[in-house]
């Protein structure tokens, strides 16, 4: 596993990009971008994680750079449960929704997750989630 950061991208570029999306960042150094790949049972898993102070954006690709299904998950009150919604494609029983729910339970912060892991691959899902939680 290796972490990669684009050499031509500066913290100011990152801050400007988020501000263009309407996301205010008080300290650019609070943004962490991590990209890495791993191989599990002959499947290539690719990850991109953007961690903001109060939110996480993540992408998990399996054997391709396809965007996959998009999910939003967030803690909900008053029962400390997690709500997950499918924003693009998929439904609540897809792999990505389960990963999103468990990541929010662990971190306590909202997550936007794009995932194209095949639905019938529970071992691949577990491996991807384990790498994402690190």
């Amino acid at each position: 596993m290796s972490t990669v950061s684009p050499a031509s991208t500066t913290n100011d570029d990152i801050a400007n990009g988020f501000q263009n999306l309407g996301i205010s960042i008080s300290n650019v150094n609070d943004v962490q971008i991590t990209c890495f790949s791993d191989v599990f049972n002959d499947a290539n898993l690719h990850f991109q994680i953007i961690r903001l102070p109060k939110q996480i954006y993540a992408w998990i690709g399996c054997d391709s750079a396809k965007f996959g299904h998009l999910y939003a998950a967030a803690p909900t009150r008053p029962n400390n449960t997690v709500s997950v919604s499918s924003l693009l494609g998929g439904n609540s029983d897809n792999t990505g929704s389960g990963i999103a729910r468990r990541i929010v339970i662990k971190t306590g912060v909202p997550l936007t997750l794009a995932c194209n892991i095949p639905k019938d691959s529970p071992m691949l899902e577990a491996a991807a989630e384990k790498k994402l939680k690190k």
Side-chain angles (χ1 to χ4, degrees):
M1 178 177 79
S2 62
T3 302
V4 181
S5 60
S8 62
T9 304
T10 66
N11 283 346
D12 289 336
D13 292 334
I14 294 167
N16 289 335
F18 280 110
Q19 287 172 348
N20 288 340
L21 293 172
I23 301 169
S24 64
I25 299 172
S26 58
N27 184 353
V28 176
N29 294 324
D30 289 340
V31 178
Q32 299 170 359
I33 300 176
T34 307
C35 301
F36 61 94
S37 295
D38 196 24
V39 177
F40 180 80
N41 287 350
D42 295 329
N44 294 310
L45 292 173
H46 308 286
F47 299 84
Q48 183 176 42
I49 305 160
I50 302 171
R51 182 159 180 118
L52 301 170
K54 295 182 181 179
Q55 186 167 4
I56 300 170
Y57 294 87
W59 168 75
I60 305 171
C62 180
D63 289 328
S64 73
K66 289 183 181 177
F67 188 72
H69 302 298
L70 182 64
Y71 300 93
T76 53
R77 295 184 183 133
N79 299 332
N80 291 330
T81 60
V82 175
S83 296
V84 181
S85 180
S86 174
L87 302 178
L88 288 174
N91 53 39
S92 63
D93 68 345
N94 278 21
T95 301
S97 65
I99 292 173
R101 176 176 278 108
R102 291 184 294 270
I103 296 292
V104 171
I105 289 170
K106 181 178 180 188
T107 63
V109 296
L111 169 73
T112 303
L113 174 69
C115 179
N116 74 353
I117 295 175
K119 184 177 177 180
D120 59 348
S121 303
M123 295 299 291
L124 190 59
E125 174 184 357
E129 184 175 341
K130 184 177 178 182
K131 290 289 183 183
L132 189 60
K133 285 182 177 180
K134 284 186 175 182

